[in-house]
């Protein structure tokens, strides 16, 4: 694969805006844990605030994403980023406030910019030639994992070395800068054909048919919540300095970025649904090892394996979504997927947070892995069942039936490889 057609000034400007918009998202869960960890029941409260943040994303993504005007997306995206900046600034400024107020700020920080990732993804594909859409999405994936690689170390260093409020205030500044940076980009992108799915009711029905992809997407990010939210407590259980949480998560994200690059270089065998299950099973096994290995080097190795497999799992989910939805519903589908993976994050994080006061962090991680495997099984069952029902039907619903080697049937000019 060649990435030559993706290199341009407009894509570079897009990348700068995307970093400003996405780094706060990557920093938020760990920053919330460090914000309140010294309060009574701090780790459980941190997990609850992270869940409130992700619930905001879950609510905001489909509601705001369905209303995004492709031709005039810039004002919508800018307002969302400003709302997120206000939420993060409130968390940083009122760190000692009651838990309910902090949860409200966390909810606002998650809900306000929830449609931005899907909007930026659609905007990116409009900045490159049609035949380079897959490469553009692969670059987006690598950029995202790169952001996730830097963010944990940045949060840990700022929270422990300077002050626990600073990461949240930095997140507010980054989102505000991203809102300003939108004026370096086009106002929107070409509207997709309306078709029968253009009306909200029909679009909802089309989106609902892809539910198995959303469920397995939720499973994919649920393991990340375990690594982020429980790792500091697990390190304390092992007698390892909590400051190692950032570097260990960075190892995982760097491995994910490498995995995303490697995944996009070739065609992999097997159907997407089967490929996803294999990757999720391997990632679950690696996270189980993180819970069981007593020393930091072994934990780092297990997290690296988990990250390497995670990128492939998430890419297969986005590949499946691009195959399952007709073109006019893809922008909304991106937002629903964003909400779904947030739901998986919130569910596993809430489970771990509820278990931490009553059991060890390692046991909480193993319980979360069990939930992840259950979601993976349900999604795989639904996807294979839907694949049988539409086999041989191209172009709509959970359409784009998948060929024997995982290649989309009737997919048009895009190869669908990427994010």
């Amino acid at each position: 694969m060649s990435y030559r057609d993706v290199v341009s000034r407009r894509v570079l400007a897009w990348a700068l805006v995307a970093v400003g918009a996405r780094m706060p998202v990557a920093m938020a869960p760990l920053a919330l844990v460090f914000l309140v960890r010294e309060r009574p029941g701090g780790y459980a409260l941190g997990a609850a605030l992270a869940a409130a943040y992700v619930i905001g994303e879950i609510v905001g993504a489909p509601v705001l994403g369905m209303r995004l005007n492709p031709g005039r997306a810039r004002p919508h995206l800018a307002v969302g980023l400003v709302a997120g900046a206000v939420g993060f600034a409130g968390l940083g400024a009122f760190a000692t406030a009651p838990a309910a107020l902090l949860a409200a700020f966390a909810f606002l920080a998650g809900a306000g910019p929830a449609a931005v990732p899907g909007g930026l993804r659609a905007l990116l594909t409009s900045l490159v030639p049609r035949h380079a859409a897959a490469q553009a999405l692969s670059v987006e994936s690598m950029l995202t994992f790169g952001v996730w690689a830097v963010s944990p170390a940045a949060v840990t260093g700022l929270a422990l070395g300077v002050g626990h409020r600073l990461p949240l205030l930095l997140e507010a500044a980054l989102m505000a800068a991203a809102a300003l940076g939108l004026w370096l980009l086009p106002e929107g992108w070409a509207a997709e054909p309306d078709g029968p799915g253009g009306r909200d009711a029909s679009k909802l029905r089309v989106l609902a048919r892809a539910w198995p992809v959303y469920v397995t997407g939720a499973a994919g990010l649920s393991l990340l919540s375990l690594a982020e939210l429980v790792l500091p407590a697990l390190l304390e259980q092992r007698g390892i300095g909590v400051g190692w949480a950032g570097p260990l998560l960075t190892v995982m994200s760097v491995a994910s970025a490498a995995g995303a690059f490697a995944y996009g270089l070739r065609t992999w065998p097997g159907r997407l649904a089967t490929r996803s299950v294999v990757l999720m099973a391997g990632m679950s096994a690696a996270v189980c090892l993180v819970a069981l290995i007593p020393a930091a080097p072994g934990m780092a190795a297990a997290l690296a394996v988990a990250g390497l497999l995670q990128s492939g799992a998430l890419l297969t989910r986005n590949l499946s979504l691009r195959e399952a939805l007709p073109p006019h519903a893809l922008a909304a589908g991106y937002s629903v997927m964003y909400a779904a993976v947030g739901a998986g994050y919130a569910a596993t994080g809430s489970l771990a947070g509820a278990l931490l006061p009553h059991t060890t962090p390692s046991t909480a991680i193993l319980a979360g892995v069990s939930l992840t495997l259950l979601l993976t099984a349900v999604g795989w069952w639904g996807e294979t069942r839907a694949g049988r029902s539409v086999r041989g039907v191209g172009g709509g619903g959970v359409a784009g039936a998948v060929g024997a080697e995982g290649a989309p049937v009737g997919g048009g000019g895009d190869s669908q490889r990427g994010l």
Side-chain angles (χ1 to χ4, degrees):
M1 292 177 65
S2 172
Y3 295 95
R4 214 170 280 171
D5 290 325
V6 179
V7 179
S8 71
R9 290 183 179 179
R10 293 196 302 175
V11 172
L12 176 60
W14 176 92
L16 294 174
V17 173
V19 168
R22 296 183 183 186
M23 186 168 284
V25 176
M27 294 172 65
L30 192 59
L32 290 170
V33 171
F34 278 114
L35 183 71
V36 297
R37 76 184 186 95
E38 294 183 357
R39 292 171 60 160
Y43 284 120
L45 176 59
L49 292 178
Y53 171 81
V54 177
I55 289 171
E57 293 183 303
I58 295 167
V59 173
V63 172
L64 300 176
M66 289 283 291
R67 287 159 176 76
L68 193 63
N69 181 349
R72 296 188 68 254
R74 183 195 292 155
H76 186 131
L77 299 178
V79 169
L81 288 168
V82 169
V86 170
F88 284 123
L91 286 163
F94 304 102
T96 59
L101 180 59
L102 293 179
F105 279 128
F107 181 90
L108 175 62
V116 172
L120 287 178
R121 181 175 299 165
L123 184 58
L124 172 63
T125 56
S126 74
L127 297 177
V128 301
R130 178 175 175 83
H131 67 269
Q135 286 86 344
L137 292 173
S138 295
V139 168
E140 182 202 22
S141 180
M142 288 183 279
L143 176 68
T144 299
F145 284 121
V147 167
W148 283 88
V150 172
S151 297
V155 170
T156 304
L158 291 173
L160 297 181
V162 182
H164 61 284
R165 301 169 185 258
L166 191 57
L168 279 305
L169 297 176
L170 176 60
E171 291 166 50
L174 287 170
M175 279 212 162
L180 293 175
L182 287 172
W183 269 260
L184 299 174
L185 302 173
E187 188 174 12
W189 56 92
E192 296 159 337
D194 288 338
R199 297 186 297 271
D200 284 349
S202 297
K203 187 178 288 186
L204 284 172
R205 285 196 295 270
V206 170
L207 294 174
R209 292 184 194 131
W211 70 265
V213 184
Y214 305 137
V215 172
T216 46
L221 207 66
S222 65
L223 289 174
L224 180 62
S225 75
L226 291 175
E228 285 194 332
L229 301 179
V230 186
L231 185 59
L234 180 66
L235 292 173
E236 287 192 352
Q237 177 191 353
R238 296 282 187 262
I240 303 170
V242 71
W244 282 101
L248 287 173
L249 291 175
T250 298
V251 168
M252 182 177 182
S253 295
V254 169
S256 294
F261 179 77
Y263 189 93
L265 289 177
R266 53 158 294 176
T267 299
W268 298 90
R271 298 182 68 248
L272 285 172
T274 305
R275 201 184 308 164
S276 177
V277 169
V278 171
L279 290 167
M280 284 299 303
M283 187 180 175
S284 298
V287 174
C288 286
L289 289 176
V290 173
L292 300 175
I293 294 174
M299 295 171 71
L303 284 170
V305 172
L308 194 68
L309 298 176
Q310 179 198 34
S311 57
L314 295 181
L315 283 165
T316 57
R317 296 303 81 216
N318 285 289
L319 272 165
S320 294
L321 184 63
R322 288 175 63 83
E323 292 180 357
L325 297 178
H328 66 264
L330 272 177
Y334 289 145
S335 293
V336 174
M337 174 65 89
Y338 190 77
V341 297
Y345 192 105
T348 311
S350 298
L351 174 63
L355 290 175
L356 279 176
H358 309 290
T359 188
T360 62
S362 56
T363 302
I365 289 178
L366 295 176
V369 170
S370 300
L371 176 60
T372 295
L373 292 174
L374 175 62
L375 291 173
T376 301
V378 170
W380 176 82
W381 172 81
E383 197 166 355
T384 53
R385 183 171 176 267
R388 287 195 299 269
S389 68
V390 300
R391 186 68 53 80
V393 180
V398 180
V402 180
E405 296 301 320
V409 176
D414 294 339
S415 69
Q416 311 300 328
R417 190 189 309 280
L419 186 60

